[in-house]
Amino acid sequence: MMMIDRYTGSLTARFFLSTPTALVITALFFSASSLSSGIAVLNFELADLTQVDNNTEEVIRTASLAPMLRKALNGEHGYDTVQIPLDAYENANQGFGYLFEHADSAAELGESLGADWIVITRLHKPSFLFSYLIVQVVNVKSKLAYPELIVEIKGQQSELNQRGIKKLAEKIHSQIKRLLRTTP
């Protein structure tokens, strides 16, 4: 129904919907807008430069990081995390650092998993005092890798790991949001 606004004189359209119809349309709008992207997060590769003889503790610590990042991306930012079967990862990866250097191979892995994004991860430990969480986000569709995101962690405590992972998840989310706004 078309009406003239008595205050501005402009022509406006008014739709009269029953309450159930309005609720269905609202629910469809919000469910479509809240659909999240599928994101695959690779396990962190450990680049330990400390030259310690037995770095078992560091290997265990490193293995705990990817599940924390997946949980943060899913719980705090609403991404659907995509599981990565070990055999698919091993087939795509040709050795340490390969997927960091070959975004196209990482994108193919993500595509085979049905992910929209794939996050390549590394824990770089140049010292006993600090380490860096480093990730590279790859758009599976375009096969493009974006600038690395880095978070410094000082110390060994698990609380610091969680804080660093939370900060990293925020950086990943911000980068993806920026990319989605600029991509046609």
Side-chain angles (χ1 to χ4, degrees):
M1 169 182 219
M2 301 296 277
M3 299 182 73
I4 296 178
D5 186 318
R6 64 183 170 150
Y7 298 107
T8 64
S10 64
L11 191 62
T12 59
R14 301 234 174 154
F15 298 98
F16 295 101
L17 299 174
S18 66
T19 302
T21 306
L23 289 174
V24 168
I25 290 172
T26 303
L28 288 173
F29 173 78
F30 282 110
S31 65
S33 66
S34 66
L35 290 176
S36 60
S37 297
I39 192 165
V41 178
L42 299 179
N43 289 333
F44 279 76
E45 291 182 323
L46 174 60
D48 189 351
L49 305 180
T50 59
Q51 298 181 358
V52 67
D53 290 335
N54 184 1
N55 70 346
T56 305
E57 287 181 31
E58 196 61 42
V59 170
I60 293 168
R61 173 181 172 226
T62 303
S64 72
L65 297 173
M68 278 193 278
L69 182 56
R70 290 181 194 112
K71 184 177 179 182
L73 287 168
N74 178 266
E76 295 174 30
H77 300 289
Y79 291 95
D80 294 326
T81 54
V82 176
Q83 294 297 325
I84 305 167
L86 183 60
D87 60 332
Y89 171 76
E90 288 174 348
N91 287 336
N93 192 21
Q94 302 296 313
F96 183 85
Y98 179 81
L99 293 174
F100 246 101
E101 300 298 324
H102 297 90
D104 55 335
S105 295
E108 288 172 12
L109 172 61
E111 188 174 40
S112 73
L113 301 171
D116 300 308
W117 304 93
I118 190 159
V119 180
I120 307 165
T121 58
R122 177 177 294 159
L123 176 67
H124 180 70
K125 185 175 180 185
S127 164
F128 292 106
L129 303 175
F130 62 93
S131 56
Y132 299 102
L133 299 171
I134 305 171
V135 301
Q136 190 172 46
V137 177
V138 177
N139 182 323
V140 170
K141 190 177 197 177
S142 68
K143 296 185 179 1
L144 292 176
Y146 297 96
E148 293 176 358
L149 303 171
I150 302 170
V151 172
E152 183 180 61
I153 297 177
K154 293 182 179 179
Q156 300 290 332
Q157 297 130 358
S158 64
E159 182 180 315
L160 294 173
N161 290 342
Q162 290 174 349
R163 212 175 324 164
I165 288 291
K166 186 175 181 176
K167 187 183 287 188
L168 190 60
E170 182 59 43
K171 285 185 170 196
I172 292 168
H173 177 65
S174 294
Q175 187 177 63
I176 290 174
K177 276 182 23 182
R178 234 181 355 266
L179 293 169
L180 288 175
R181 279 196 306 260
T182 59
T183 307

